[in-house]
Amino acid sequence: MNVVVCVKQIPDPAAPSALDPTTHNLDRTGKLILDDSDAYGVEMGLQLASGEGDEVILVSMAPGGETSGLRTALAMGAARAILISDDSLAGSDALGTAKVLAAAIKRAEPDLVLTATESTDGYTGTIPAQIAELLGLPSITFAKKIAIDGSTVRVERQTEAGYDEVESPLPAVVSVTAGVVEPRYPSFKGIMAAKSKPVDVVTVADIGLEAGQVGATGARQEITDVSKVEARAGGEIVVDDGNGAARIVTFLEELKVI
Amino acid sequence: MPVDTVWVVAEITESGPSSITQELLSKARSIATNVAAIAWGPDTASHAAALGEYGATKVYDVGAVGETLPGVPVAGAIAALIEGGDTPDALLVPASYDGRDVAGRLSAKLDRPVLTNVVGLSENGGLSSEHTLFGGTVAATAHFTGEGPQIFVVRAKSFTAEPGGGGAAEVVSAPAPAAGATGTAKVTARHVEERTGPKLDEAAVIVSGGRGLGSADKYEMIEELARLLHGAAGASRAIVDAGWVPYARQVGQTGKTVKPNLYVACGISGATQHLVGMKGSKNIVAINKDQDAPIFSVADLGIVGNVHDVLPALIEALKNR
Ligand SMILES: Cc1cc2nc3c(=O)[nH]c(=O)nc-3n(C[C@H](O)[C@H](O)[C@H](O)COP(=O)(O)OP(=O)(O)OC[C@H]3O[C@@H](n4cnc5c(N)ncnc54)[C@H](O)[C@@H]3O)c2cc1C
Ligand SMILES: Cc1cc2nc3c(=O)[nH]c(=O)nc-3n(C[C@H](O)[C@H](O)[C@H](O)COP(=O)(O)OP(=O)(O)OC[C@H]3O[C@@H](n4cnc5c(N)ncnc54)[C@H](O)[C@@H]3O)c2cc1C
């Protein structure tokens, strides 16, 4: 079984984020790392594709030929990666990104495509369904458990009220929530092996798309205004010396909650 | 000049249009001349009055989708209407599980971009959307530059639900076309987790617990306090990921946005991703043993203390009233 896992490489969320003052794009000039949210998909993929001849193939779109995040996922155990990197992709929106990812995924002929439910930096959360539609595949979003049974994927899908059991024939696109599995830490051996695993770096033209469909032009949307939000003012701070609960009770009375 | 036509993707629950559906219809009414709802389910017609009450003059009835996940048939039905020449200027879609599927599918089908995580909309000849970024510290305004229909995916609690006193919406059948392979994901069983008291996104009081509770069994204190205040119990992502409580309780960027009258945060540090989901609350009380915890920066009343001391004392005091 071939499993494609989409992995996004993002600016370190621990570092302060910023928008470029003129393009309003997220500043992606620093080193990029594997989005934590995608570590779950990678782990899930490795567990599902653990048989003889099974392969986990990573697909990522990132600027500047970035592979740092891919190496992390390769060190976890993925076999190889396809990286789409092209200057014309700067400023891509979710649909443009989905077009690029879908075109690259097609080349890998997967039985299953895994993504996270949403990325940490852009979190539009629409890419999984967009990819599925572009590939003409069924999709199950918000998986909190996944099992493969022959040519069927069975998923426990998070819902408002609880969860649904959902199944679909393969190939299919499944988006996974954090906590679907516990991602492994790359071993030293894994890290060494990752250095020589193949990363196929391709351009927009290589995957049969035109520059106008992607990037800032393809996005057909623009940010017109960016401003700082007025911070909510903090209030009274009480150090509890046995009177904390009583102070809350008075506050609740003032609010007429009790 | 208001926008001509806006369609709202309407989610119907057993008690009628969901709260976000009411919010979106209310907003649509204020920016557009014609508002229609897209609804699905076995008995959409019986909700025509409620949808009309919030502003829909027409409801496109996709019909029952059975065990199929709604994303594909609902997006298919909308695309069929549009291809048939009936086109809105904009679509408002709830940022919910099924709403995101509908928006993503539709976007790819129509080759139209989406603006997501919308928290505000304004009409000034065209439509502009507001977004909050970086944990709510930055606000951005955006708009579409290409051809419509424009697809906006809107977060809950962005608008106020207000009945407009409209009559029942006219029901127009809008069946989903055959979907082929894309429509083959089927629900085989549904599990409803037990819940007592008000829903998280409708409660006037929310008591939330975080990792500072120390262990899963201590979450009972949160539930008990919520019960005493006739509120709902919420959680930080840390304890949802740890499996202490179901995801439906999660407040924040990847969980629910809530705006209750009172939010009580217990043993929650106040990470930006949590704050973005609750800092619109009218009043905030925080209990945390670390006086530098970021949660205190948004609290109207902050108690620097141990949840294992303060919560039992508070519960006791409320029981004795
Ligand atoms: C703050 C902010 C707000 C934005 N708002 C919008 C908006 O409203 N509309 C819009 O169209 N665009 C928006 N964008 C741009 C959008 O984030 C990018 O187009 C991005 O390339 C793809 O979207 P996502 O990460 O939000 O996708 P999501 O749908 O959140 O991603 C889901 C999953 O898809 C996979 N995936 C996503 N991108 C990649 C990638 N490059 N490589 C490999 N796998 C990937 C990952 O598994 C990811 O977890 C925004 C960006 C930022 C920074
Ligand atoms: C993409 C992304 C999305 C996210 N979405 C969300 C989201 O939707 N919602 C969300 O909540 N988080 C979200 N997070 C996670 C968020 O960044 C934090 O990790 C999380 O909110 C922390 O939860 P916590 O406050 O319970 O735990 P911690 O940060 O560990 O805080 C525990 C707090 O408890 C205090 N404490 C410890 N013991 C006691 C005691 N005995 N008495 C009193 N106080 C005590 C500590 O001082 C500390 O402040 C997201 C993160 C990412 C990257």
Side-chain angles (χ1 to χ4, degrees):
Chain A
M1 184 164 95
N2 275 349
V3 178
V4 158
V5 185
C6 294
V7 296
K8 194 170 183 184
Q9 304 179 83
I10 62 168
D12 188 345
S17 323
L19 295 181
D20 181 289
T22 48
T23 63
H24 297 316
N25 291 338
L26 188 66
D27 181 359
R28 298 181 190 276
T29 49
K31 177 179 170 239
L32 305 180
I33 62 170
L34 174 67
D35 187 342
D36 252 349
S37 307
D38 283 323
Y40 300 97
V42 173
E43 178 64 41
M44 194 72 243
L46 290 170
Q47 291 187 16
L48 294 173
S50 57
E52 186 86 31
D54 289 355
E55 240 184 12
V56 171
I57 305 151
L58 309 170
V59 169
S60 188
M61 165 179 138
E66 179 67 60
T67 57
S68 311
L70 284 176
R71 293 290 168 206
T72 307
L74 290 168
M76 287 173 71
R80 60 191 175 91
I82 303 173
L83 171 68
I84 315 93
S85 201
D86 195 313
D87 289 345
S88 69
L89 291 170
S92 286
D93 70 328
L95 181 58
T97 305
K99 286 177 183 169
V100 170
L101 296 176
I105 290 167
K106 243 195 204 137
R107 308 176 123 210
E109 298 179 2
D111 302 292
L112 177 68
V113 180
L114 297 177
T115 71
T117 53
E118 55 191 19
S119 69
T120 297
D121 60 345
Y123 59 97
T124 60
T126 50
I127 295 257
Q130 286 169 326
I131 291 179
E133 185 65 28
L134 292 166
L135 292 169
L137 295 179
S139 56
I140 308 176
T141 47
F142 287 94
K144 50 180 219 143
K145 212 169 202 175
I146 307 179
I148 301 288
D149 183 358
S151 58
T152 302
V153 57
R154 290 187 213 288
V155 168
E156 287 183 12
R157 179 184 191 240
Q158 187 70 55
T159 63
E160 198 55 50
Y163 67 94
D164 287 348
E165 290 174 44
V166 187
E167 60 178 48
S168 159
L170 294 174
V173 176
V174 178
S175 79
V176 302
T177 59
V180 69
V181 276
E182 195 51 50
R184 71 193 68 183
Y185 286 104
S187 64
F188 179 70
K189 224 176 109 199
I191 294 168
M192 295 314 289
K195 294 192 171 150
S196 57
K197 285 182 175 172
V199 176
D200 185 10
V201 185
V202 297
T203 63
V204 167
D206 290 339
I207 54 172
L209 291 174
E210 281 163 35
Q213 291 178 275
V214 297
T217 342
R220 293 167 286 171
Q221 55 187 261
E222 64 183 10
I223 294 180
T224 48
D225 191 41
V226 177
S227 59
K228 271 206 100 56
V229 173
E230 192 90 36
R232 188 187 166 117
E236 176 190 349
I237 301 289
V238 175
V239 178
D240 180 45
D241 53 8
N243 62 346
R247 179 64 194 97
I248 297 177
V249 171
T250 327
F251 187 73
L252 298 180
E253 282 169 347
E254 286 162 16
L255 295 182
K256 301 197 168 36
V257 167
I258 50 172
Chain B
M1 199 183 69
V3 177
D4 190 62
T5 304
V6 170
W7 291 357
V8 170
V9 171
E11 294 183 320
I12 311 280
T13 68
E14 61 277 31
S15 52
S18 69
S19 45
I20 184 164
T21 302
Q22 298 172 7
E23 292 157 21
L24 296 186
L25 287 170
S26 303
K27 184 63 187 183
R29 209 171 74 215
S30 76
I31 53 173
T33 315
N34 302 298
V35 176
I38 315 285
W40 62 96
D43 192 17
T44 301
S46 71
H47 301 287
L51 292 165
E53 174 75 9
Y54 284 92
T57 51
K58 206 191 263 186
V59 44
Y60 291 101
D61 180 10
V62 180
V65 300
E67 304 312 319
T68 308
L69 293 177
V72 169
V74 175
I78 298 172
L81 287 169
I82 291 170
E83 279 149 21
D86 190 355
T87 304
D89 298 290
L91 280 132
L92 307 187
V93 188
S96 59
Y97 308 108
D98 292 334
R100 276 172 25 173
D101 284 0
V102 172
R105 289 274 176 185
L106 187 64
S107 151
K109 254 182 198 308
L110 300 176
D111 192 25
R112 290 292 176 272
V114 290
L115 280 165
T116 72
N117 291 307
V118 170
V119 297
L121 269 175
S122 54
E123 175 272 309
N124 39 13
L127 287 174
S128 318
S129 55
E130 282 148 45
H131 306 254
T132 54
L133 318 180
F134 312 139
T137 54
V138 173
T141 310
H143 67 182
F144 290 105
T145 55
E147 232 180 289
Q150 309 186 337
I151 307 172
F152 295 98
V153 185
V154 186
R155 291 189 65 98
K157 296 285 174 277
S158 299
F159 310 118
T160 316
E162 275 166 316
E170 173 202 356
V171 181
V172 180
S173 174
T182 55
T184 49
K186 300 278 186 237
V187 177
T188 55
R190 296 183 200 271
H191 300 263
V192 174
E193 270 147 13
E194 212 190 324
R195 187 184 55 219
T196 53
K199 279 189 181 167
L200 195 55
D201 48 3
E202 287 167 7
V205 176
I206 294 174
V207 183
S208 281
R211 185 146 44 196
L213 293 171
S215 59
D217 56 313
K218 297 291 188 232
Y219 191 77
E220 275 169 26
M221 295 194 293
I222 301 298
E223 288 177 318
E224 176 149 34
L225 182 57
R227 216 164 23 241
L228 287 164
L229 297 173
H230 309 292
S236 73
R237 172 156 154 183
I239 71 168
V240 171
D241 286 355
W244 297 3
V245 296
Y247 172 77
R249 301 263 172 105
Q250 184 176 317
V251 172
Q253 180 179 308
T254 39
K256 296 231 161 63
T257 304
V258 298
K259 289 189 179 174
N261 179 37
L262 173 66
Y263 189 89
V264 186
C266 310
I268 292 179
S269 59
T272 53
Q273 297 92 347
H274 187 80
L275 295 185
V276 76
M278 48 64 75
K279 71 178 179 185
S281 305
K282 208 140 173 239
N283 299 283
I284 298 172
V285 173
I287 307 168
N288 195 304
K289 68 175 185 190
D290 171 10
Q291 62 174 12
D292 296 324
I295 190 77
F296 288 131
S297 68
V298 299
D300 299 288
L301 175 62
I303 306 290
V304 182
N306 191 325
V307 287
H308 304 296
D309 299 332
V310 180
L311 284 178
L314 180 57
I315 289 167
E316 198 53 34
L318 292 174
K319 275 187 176 164
N320 290 338
R321 285 171 65 89

